Amino acid sequence: MKYFLSREAVLKWLEKPSVYHIKKDDIYELDTDSFEFLRKCSSGTGCNSDNSEFIDYCKKEGILTEDRIFLERPPLISSSFPSLRYLELQITDRCNLRCKHCYINTPLNPAGCELSVKQIRNILKEFEEMQGLRVLITGGEPLIHSRFDEINRILPDFFVRKLLLTNGLLLNKQILDSLNVDEIQISIDGLEKAHDALRGKGSFRSAMEAVRRSVGSGFDVSVSTMVHAKNLGDFEELDRIFKDLGVKDWTVDIPCPTGRMTENPEFCLEPEAGGKYLSYGYGEGLHAGEAGFACGLHLMSVMADGRVSKCTFYAEASVGTIENGLRENWQKIKPVRFEELRCDCEFGESCRGGCRYRAELSGDASGKDLYRCAFYDIIKKNNSPS
């Protein structure tokens, strides 16, 4: 019996040889023999093995199939540590909302900035060659890009998981029927009154309809929620609603006091008031880290004007532009070791110092994310003997 690497499985040479299942968003580390075997399975001639236990496992996980499949897959190039696994790709900085907590400054160009289709193709090709796993297509509102249809058409050319981050207002059935992404993340910042207070009247109903429509169209759907002063009573109900709707991941965070948030202080929360709400949410989130390192170890961002930084919060501290190429920019971003931070609690490895940008806003680049500290203080008190 001949076996072939499935359409959704792709070999990746990260810190360790691995195979990544794009649709399931699962990565499997391999030993040398398994990696070489699966490499043969990715050829047009397929492969066979006497190791029935390994074959059965790979078939069950959707890595191998008996159907003859040969696709031109990306080259296997050994990556340095840390590997670039997650890319935030801001294709436009224009938006159809003016949310009161947005950290993106008003574009200097009134018409806004957007990456060209050619630039996006080149970025995705290099990201794929660097063994990337997930591209987060964001904005602004990405669906506003003047050539989004063309961008959407080239997405299937790349063996990475594609996530669309959107406010949901433009996500109609026509777009969903042709959308070439694996996951859609929609922002829901409270129940109707609280969400609309932050994002504009009527936006909650549109966003919730986008969630229902996306789930009904067969997409993996995740939700992002920002904790603010007007949604604190909404989280139990949001949890019930999202689980009932079949939302895959729910990410809860607190907006940094920057950008438009500084103009709308009535939405801001002190760490002690907001931190406890970080206990809500479920799932794996958009990007993972590693023990011993601070947040964002495998992440880099490309802005709509071509600047590159370690994440979108650090847009003003870019390390270069896309003209330099992703690899050159990635080499300029130095990983932050947890031991370099002034964090001293017992939850260090699970917290990993929280958001580094939020900590810097408190005045100390190596200091604490006080919102995460407040959250873990509550956990510590709850676990202490009475």
Side-chain angles (χ1 to χ4, degrees):
M1 177 69 70
K2 290 279 189 177
Y3 299 97
F4 301 85
L5 201 63
S6 74
R7 188 174 300 276
E8 300 300 337
V10 58
L11 295 173
K12 299 283 185 178
W13 203 306
L14 305 170
E15 286 76 5
K16 295 181 179 179
S18 308
V19 60
Y20 180 56
H21 196 289
I22 294 171
K23 283 293 183 187
K24 291 170 62 178
D25 197 19
D26 283 336
I27 188 162
Y28 308 79
E29 292 185 354
L30 303 169
D31 60 27
T32 302
D33 290 342
S34 299
F35 186 77
E36 289 303 321
F37 173 73
L38 291 179
R39 194 207 290 256
K40 292 176 184 175
C41 295
S42 67
S43 69
T45 56
C47 56
N48 51 41
S49 172
D50 296 328
N51 188 341
S52 59
E53 184 177 354
F54 178 70
I55 292 291
D56 289 344
Y57 177 79
C58 287
K59 287 171 64 180
K60 180 173 77 71
E61 294 298 308
I63 296 168
L64 287 179
T65 177
E66 295 172 14
D67 299 328
R68 183 179 291 274
I69 291 175
F70 177 67
L71 300 170
E72 188 175 345
R73 299 175 188 267
L76 285 164
I77 303 170
S78 181
S79 59
S80 58
F81 180 87
S83 55
L84 175 59
R85 302 185 183 191
Y86 316 112
L87 184 69
E88 289 182 307
L89 184 58
Q90 185 191 54
I91 62 174
T92 178
D93 59 10
R94 293 191 300 127
C95 192
N96 51 350
L97 292 179
R98 189 173 173 81
C99 301
K100 294 177 181 177
H101 67 308
C102 187
Y103 59 87
I104 299 174
N105 292 321
T106 302
L108 296 176
N109 180 355
C113 296
E114 62 179 35
L115 296 170
S116 70
V117 178
K118 181 179 179 181
Q119 286 173 320
I120 291 169
R121 179 184 284 280
N122 290 340
I123 289 166
L124 290 176
K125 184 174 187 299
E126 187 173 6
F127 179 56
E128 184 183 60
E129 289 173 351
M130 292 177 70
Q131 313 301 295
L133 301 183
R134 297 183 208 149
V135 58
L136 318 178
I137 303 165
T138 183
E141 171 51 51
L143 294 174
I144 281 181
H145 193 290
S146 63
R147 298 174 69 183
F148 184 81
D149 287 348
E150 293 176 62
I151 296 166
N152 185 52
R153 284 199 293 272
I154 69 172
L155 293 181
D157 296 344
F158 301 97
F159 283 85
V160 296
R161 183 173 174 86
K162 299 96 178 174
L163 288 80
L164 179 73
L165 278 61
T166 174
N167 59 38
L169 270 64
L170 301 176
L171 210 52
N172 57 36
K173 186 177 185 301
Q174 181 180 358
I175 288 175
L176 286 168
D177 285 346
S178 62
L179 196 56
N180 294 318
V181 301
D182 304 292
E183 183 175 340
I184 300 169
Q185 184 185 88
I186 298 169
S187 297
I188 307 284
D189 293 312
L191 297 175
E192 185 168 10
K193 184 176 179 180
H195 179 97
D196 284 3
L198 198 68
R199 291 182 173 266
K201 187 173 177 59
S203 59
F204 175 80
R205 294 191 179 187
S206 295
M208 287 300 299
E209 182 56 34
V211 171
R212 295 187 187 94
R213 206 178 278 134
S214 300
V215 171
S217 296
F219 288 96
D220 284 346
V221 177
S222 53
V223 167
S224 172
T225 299
M226 288 295 166
V227 182
H228 59 85
K230 299 183 186 294
N231 70 359
L232 302 184
D234 296 351
F235 283 85
E236 288 295 329
E237 181 67 6
L238 289 173
D239 182 76
R240 183 194 66 78
I241 290 172
F242 297 152
K243 287 176 179 175
D244 286 350
L245 285 174
V247 168
K248 171 180 171 282
D249 281 282
W250 181 27
T251 301
V252 176
D253 205 353
I254 297 175
C256 290
T258 186
R260 295 187 195 128
M261 199 69 169
T262 60
E263 303 166 11
N264 298 281
E266 70 274 18
F267 289 92
C268 294
L269 292 166
E270 293 298 320
E272 294 74 17
K276 62 183 178 181
Y277 293 93
L278 296 175
S279 61
Y280 286 93
Y282 55 82
E284 300 298 322
L286 294 183
H287 54 87
E290 303 240 359
F293 291 89
C295 176
L297 179 66
H298 297 291
L299 174 71
M300 188 166 70
S301 298
V302 174
M303 262 50 73
D305 60 4
R307 288 175 297 160
V308 180
S309 65
K310 63 181 180 179
C311 86
T312 48
F313 284 128
Y314 288 94
E316 301 306 318
S318 61
V319 295
T321 70
I322 54 174
E323 269 60 39
N324 308 120
L326 294 187
R327 190 177 300 275
E328 182 177 321
N329 285 300
W330 181 240
Q331 290 169 351
K332 295 177 182 177
I333 298 174
K334 302 303 179 187
V336 178
R337 292 187 174 275
F338 179 72
E339 63 189 25
E340 299 170 6
L341 306 180
R342 280 186 274 280
C343 294
D344 53 8
C345 82
E346 63 198 89
F347 301 102
E349 281 303 334
S350 55
C351 175
R352 300 200 320 279
C355 173
R356 289 293 84 215
Y357 186 76
R358 202 153 49 209
E360 287 190 30
L361 290 178
S362 299
D364 185 354
S366 299
K368 300 178 179 182
D369 173 357
L370 298 179
Y371 290 88
R372 283 283 167 188
C373 290
F375 166 59
Y376 282 105
D377 281 345
I378 293 170
I379 292 179
K380 186 174 182 178
K381 288 176 185 176
N382 291 340
N383 291 338
S384 296
S386 53

